[in-house]
Amino acid sequence: SNEDQLYQAILGLKNIEECRMFFKDLCTPKEIKDMKDRLMVAKLLSKGGLSYREIHDITKVSLTTITRVARFLTQEPYQGYNLVLSREK
């Protein structure tokens, strides 16, 4: 599928600079910022100890997005955030 081809292309990238080049071609600056923000929210949520409001104050991400990231961390079956976060540690 086209989706599989996209993921295969990403898997073929060899380093951060190649990822940066590809994502700057593929995504708008806002899309990249949104993805960076969501990952930061996931990191803050996984550490615990902060309210959604405190995370909003730190990141400027909307409470709606914070709630969505929290749902994907804890309730959705994909568990992609948790996979990425577990490999960062």
Side-chain angles (χ1 to χ4, degrees), residues 8-23:
Q8 194 62 50
I10 292 168
L11 288 172
L13 299 168
K14 294 185 178 15
N15 55 47
I16 289 174
E17 188 54 37
E18 287 186 4
C19 286
R20 183 176 289 113
M21 292 164 56
F22 182 64
F23 277 85

Side-chain angles (χ1 to χ4, degrees), residues 16 35-36 38-47 73 80-89:
I16 289 174
M35 287 188 281
K36 292 187 312 188
R38 289 179 195 142
L39 183 57
M40 176 56 65
V41 167
K43 287 179 182 184
L44 292 171
L45 287 167
S46 72
K47 286 181 185 175
L73 272 170
Y81 284 125
N82 286 314
L83 177 65
V84 167
L85 295 173
S86 72
R87 291 188 179 166
E88 278 191 348
K89 294 175 180 167

